[in-house]
Amino acid sequence: MTLRRPYRPLRPDLDEFLFATVGEQIEGVSLSVISALVRLGLDPWKEAGRLSCLSSAEAAEQMARLIAELPGHLRPLKEAREIAPYLVGLLPKHNTARAVAAQVQIQLRYRKRGLSLPSPYWLVLSLLTAAALLSIVLHGGFPLGIGGS
């Protein structure tokens, strides 16, 4: 049975490379090449196709640099250079002629969340609460108004 177009893999010849393990994440979970490339803000199929057009040595060096740039993975370039040749060996060779490949621009997709600005609603509510507390402190307590004198 043939899969309909929407369910077919984009480039089945790249699957072995894209689903290979780059290393482990936290708690021993494997990190695939496809996940690593997405985290770097790259299209995995385009990047795999680009690397497959390069010489093995050049593709391995560029793959090593990508591995070393992974956010959350403090992997030195030397260690990444040991992993990269194996991964590049999984790529199909589409063009044996030397291709001129532009350097890729990495755009991190996963960023640490910083403190966001509070919404105006919470800001006004905080100011009113602070004013009420200041009034209580300055006037010596809550006004009772229940049968008191």
Side-chain angles (χ1 to χ4, degrees):
M1 181 175 139
T2 315
L3 291 173
R4 293 186 314 186
R5 181 127 181 97
Y7 301 105
R8 278 188 246 157
L10 293 175
R11 295 270 311 267
D13 57 329
L14 299 175
D15 285 353
E16 191 176 5
F17 169 74
L18 291 173
F19 295 102
T21 300
V22 173
E24 290 186 358
Q25 298 183 82
I26 300 171
E27 299 177 13
V29 176
S30 296
L31 176 66
S32 66
V33 172
I34 195 169
S35 294
L37 293 173
V38 168
R39 288 182 183 187
L40 292 168
L42 301 171
D43 179 294
W45 289 271
K46 284 182 183 176
E47 186 61 18
R50 186 186 74 80
L51 289 171
S52 71
C53 292
L54 301 175
S55 69
S56 293
E58 191 173 351
E61 180 61 25
Q62 289 191 21
M63 187 67 200
R65 292 185 183 279
L66 291 172
I67 293 169
E69 291 288 325
L70 279 170
H73 285 263
L74 300 176
R75 181 168 286 148
L77 187 57
K78 181 181 177 189
E79 186 181 327
R81 284 184 174 139
E82 294 171 3
I83 299 167
Y86 164 73
L87 295 172
V88 169
L90 300 174
L91 282 168
K93 291 294 177 191
H94 293 293
N95 185 0
T96 56
R98 180 169 167 74
V100 177
Q103 287 290 342
V104 296
Q105 181 67 31
I106 297 173
Q107 301 170 351
L108 299 179
R109 300 235 175 172
Y110 296 97
R111 295 188 179 139
K112 291 182 181 175
R113 290 188 63 171
L115 293 176
S116 61
L117 294 175
S119 70
Y121 171 78
W122 291 110
L123 188 59
V124 169
L125 186 63
S126 298
L127 288 173
L128 287 174
T129 303
L133 289 174
L134 182 62
S135 175
I136 290 169
V137 169
L138 291 177
H139 297 304
F142 289 103
L144 293 176
I146 302 176
S149 50

